[in-house]
Amino acid sequence: MLRKLLFRQAPRAYRFLSTQSTLPLLSKCSVFSYCSSSRPEIPPSNSIEHLEDQPTNTISIDRSGLCSPPEHSHEPSSDSELVKHLKGIIKFRGGPISVAEYMEEVLTNPKAGFYINRDVFGAEGDFITSPEVSQMFGEMVGVWAMCLWEQMGQPKRVNLVELGPGRGTLMADLLRGASKFKNFTESLHIHMVECSPALQKLQHQSLKCMDEENTSEGVDKRSLSTLAGTPVSWHATLEQVPFGLPTIIIAHEFYDALPVHQFQRGSRGWCEKMIDVTEDSSFHFVLSPQPTPATLYLMKRCKWAVPKEVEKLNQIEVCPKAMDLTSTLAKRIGVDGGGALIIDYGLNGVVLDSLQAIRKHKFVNILDNPGSADLSAYVDFASIKHSAEEASDDVSVHGPITQSQFLGSLGINFRVEALLQNCTDEQAEALRTGYWRLVGDGEAPFWEGPEEQVPIGMGTRYMAMAIVNKKQGIPIPFQ
């Protein structure tokens, strides 16, 4: 069945790709100061006093007590709504906020979050993900899902969940690639976990959905994808996806956007890095004077690490939401069966200081114009593994392996050869470029175009990990 899928004729519509390269991650250096406890007092509001009525029954108002506005205060502020919101939080609390809270507001604020109201993916957006590079990525993920479904005993009903589906490109390519395997596609109910209304619309279009008039499950939206005749539902959170069915979960470049807490070792031990506002009203980093709630997750992460490794570190990054999400995934898979595939860039160990901001394919300062750039951080795969194993005795964790190993073992080499037999020269160039970016390492050796556009391989910088129910054995290709 795998060879039938890999050598199937390519779809008529090819995706023509940007050749912009993915830049290597940059190391960052920040200057810290201790947060001051002295903050400006908010002046009391001035009351308006009415004088005694005059015989003419006119009213005079004494305005001498009113504050005179500073010069030019009538002009609009240059701060964006999100910046005003962040400064408002800091002012209201009388102190700084964590890097994690800043990151969460910047990315998912309901009104001005980076992901909420626009399309940020692709050559015209701020960054390009693997599904946007080539249709082969989604097809290979489909092969993995189908193989896991077979290991599960080919159940008649399965939840196929994607976390943070972007434009829906991965799921669309998965369904196209698997559309001829009716037993598989007819068992699926697709669940897209997406909080952005703008991206939900794009996903609806990518999956070529037709809306159903009636919904029996009470979800926000239910449609039918005409790509494979598969029902599709949208949810704001994973918890809204119905329980009770075997579940296959795909998390591609999802974990890297979860908010991280950063800690720095100081004279008084580990201190959390926070974000405050300076006297000139700009953002800057400070260190917390006291332990914070996230310190509990730092202690847990240090417990999982080798003691000698932690002793040498001056900075550590932890992601409580990644730990909690993994725990939720593992418990669901342990009870309902199925598995989760996590593909992202990261490390199989403690992460130091990896938070980065990308705007229009270029790295920018993390604190520069919040909401205008994507924020992401390395994924701590070792932390994911420990979180899953602690959450459920009924799951096993496999990997991480490199993206190159993952895609290569699933047959991407055969797939690209099959596609090259039925395409134009221009399509062939796009396929070779996309193939290199998915599995290659460093700059593509065959590139003859502009030097600044040379494709950069993601094959070793991205990693894949699987969490599966133990009853199903070891998933492909982690044997």
Side-chain angles (χ1 to χ4, degrees):
M1 183 186 73
L2 247 65
R3 293 187 68 85
K4 284 173 61 183
L5 177 62
L6 296 174
F7 284 97
R8 185 174 61 80
Q9 186 176 355
R12 293 180 182 176
Y14 281 80
R15 190 177 303 107
F16 292 95
L17 311 168
S18 164
T19 55
Q20 250 176 316
S21 62
T22 303
L23 297 174
L25 296 176
L26 301 178
S27 60
K28 294 168 288 297
C29 178
S30 302
V31 179
F32 307 104
S33 63
Y34 290 100
C35 57
S36 171
S37 59
S38 61
R39 300 183 65 85
E41 296 292 330
I42 301 174
S45 60
N46 292 282
S47 59
I48 299 177
E49 299 179 359
H50 291 271
L51 303 180
E52 293 182 2
D53 291 345
Q54 302 298 319
T56 57
N57 293 327
T58 60
I59 298 176
S60 298
I61 299 175
D62 180 6
R63 295 182 173 84
S64 61
L66 292 176
C67 290
S68 299
E71 190 176 1
H72 302 306
S73 67
H74 59 280
E75 294 189 6
S77 170
S78 59
D79 285 348
S80 68
E81 289 301 316
L82 181 59
V83 169
K84 292 177 183 177
H85 175 67
L86 289 167
K87 290 180 179 179
I89 295 175
I90 293 171
K91 184 176 181 179
F92 175 76
R93 292 186 184 171
I97 60 175
S98 69
V99 172
E101 187 170 4
Y102 173 85
M103 188 175 177
E104 190 165 19
E105 287 288 347
V106 166
L107 296 181
T108 59
N109 179 276
K111 292 185 178 179
F114 180 76
Y115 290 133
I116 298 301
N117 298 313
R118 56 184 176 142
D119 176 13
V120 300
F121 301 93
E124 300 303 320
D126 293 273
F127 52 88
I128 297 177
T129 61
S130 294
E132 306 295 335
V133 167
S134 173
Q135 68 183 62
M136 294 182 289
F137 185 83
E139 291 172 348
M140 293 301 104
V141 173
V143 171
W144 181 85
M146 198 181 309
C147 290
L148 182 63
W149 173 74
E150 289 185 336
Q151 287 181 284
M152 292 160 60
Q154 300 186 10
K156 298 296 183 182
R157 296 180 63 202
V158 176
N159 287 330
L160 177 58
V161 181
E162 185 175 2
L163 305 179
R167 288 177 170 172
T169 306
L170 186 155
M171 187 61 71
D173 289 337
L174 185 158
L175 291 178
R176 286 193 191 95
S179 60
K180 289 189 176 181
F181 301 91
K182 297 299 183 184
N183 289 342
F184 174 63
T185 57
E186 288 176 359
S187 72
L188 300 178
H189 185 148
I190 308 295
H191 296 273
M192 309 288 266
V193 178
E194 178 58 69
C195 63
S196 167
L199 290 178
Q200 284 186 10
K201 291 180 181 179
L202 287 174
Q203 294 155 17
H204 189 278
Q205 295 170 7
S206 295
L207 298 183
K208 300 188 182 305
C209 287
M210 297 178 61
D211 291 334
E212 293 184 350
E213 293 185 2
N214 299 317
T215 174
S216 59
E217 297 185 14
V219 295
D220 293 335
K221 182 194 296 184
R222 175 176 162 133
S223 305
L224 191 71
S225 171
T226 58
L227 296 177
T230 308
V232 184
S233 299
W234 277 264
H235 313 271
T237 65
L238 176 63
E239 287 73 19
Q240 295 174 1
V241 177
F243 290 83
L245 290 178
T247 302
I248 300 173
I249 300 171
I250 299 168
H252 172 255
E253 291 202 46
F254 180 79
Y255 272 77
D256 67 271
L258 297 177
V260 296
H261 292 261
Q262 294 185 324
F263 290 86
Q264 178 173 309
R265 193 193 296 273
S267 59
R268 56 185 193 277
W270 287 107
C271 302
E272 183 168 4
K273 285 167 59 176
M274 313 288 280
I275 294 173
D276 204 351
V277 180
T278 63
E279 292 183 0
D280 64 357
S281 197
S282 61
F283 293 111
H284 73 142
F285 290 106
V286 297
L287 292 178
S288 62
Q290 303 293 335
T292 60
T295 305
L296 295 175
Y297 288 89
L298 173 67
M299 294 171 61
K300 179 184 288 189
R301 184 63 189 90
C302 290
K303 180 189 70 174
W304 292 335
V306 178
K308 291 184 178 180
E309 180 185 10
V310 176
E311 290 173 3
K312 299 177 182 179
L313 301 178
N314 291 320
Q315 296 188 74
I316 292 181
E317 212 167 66
V318 296
C319 186
K321 289 209 169 185
M323 297 180 188
D324 294 342
L325 170 64
T326 302
S327 178
T328 300
L329 294 181
K331 290 175 181 177
R332 179 182 287 237
I333 293 167
V335 174
D336 290 342
L341 175 65
I342 301 165
I343 302 179
D344 226 310
Y345 60 90
L347 299 173
N348 191 23
V350 176
V351 179
L352 307 184
D353 179 13
S354 70
L355 185 60
Q356 61 185 11
I358 299 177
R359 182 189 302 129
K360 299 298 180 182
H361 305 274
K362 294 181 179 180
F363 288 96
V364 296
N365 188 293
I366 296 166
L367 302 180
D368 177 45
N369 195 11
S372 66
D374 176 48
L375 298 182
S376 62
Y378 270 0
V379 174
D380 181 350
F381 282 97
S383 177
I384 293 175
K385 176 181 174 67
H386 287 292
S387 298
E389 291 174 341
E390 284 193 359
S392 175
D393 293 330
D394 297 316
V395 302
S396 58
V397 184
H398 306 274
I401 60 176
T402 67
Q403 179 169 288
S404 179
Q405 292 172 314
F406 177 78
L407 298 176
S409 298
L410 289 171
I412 193 172
N413 298 344
F414 300 112
R415 182 59 177 150
V416 72
E417 289 175 5
L419 292 172
L420 286 170
Q421 293 175 6
N422 300 281
C423 63
T424 65
D425 291 342
E426 188 176 8
Q427 291 169 342
E429 182 181 359
L431 280 169
R432 283 191 291 267
T433 299
Y435 172 78
W436 177 263
R437 294 189 65 178
L438 292 177
V439 304
D441 183 15
E443 296 185 356
F446 59 82
W447 183 250
E448 297 179 355
E451 186 175 346
E452 66 274 10
Q453 296 180 3
V454 60
I456 305 295
M458 301 183 287
T460 57
R461 291 191 294 119
Y462 281 68
M463 308 179 82
M465 174 177 276
I467 304 170
V468 299
N469 190 292
K470 285 182 177 179
K471 296 178 181 179
Q472 297 152 196
I474 304 174
I476 293 174
F478 296 91
Q479 291 92 340

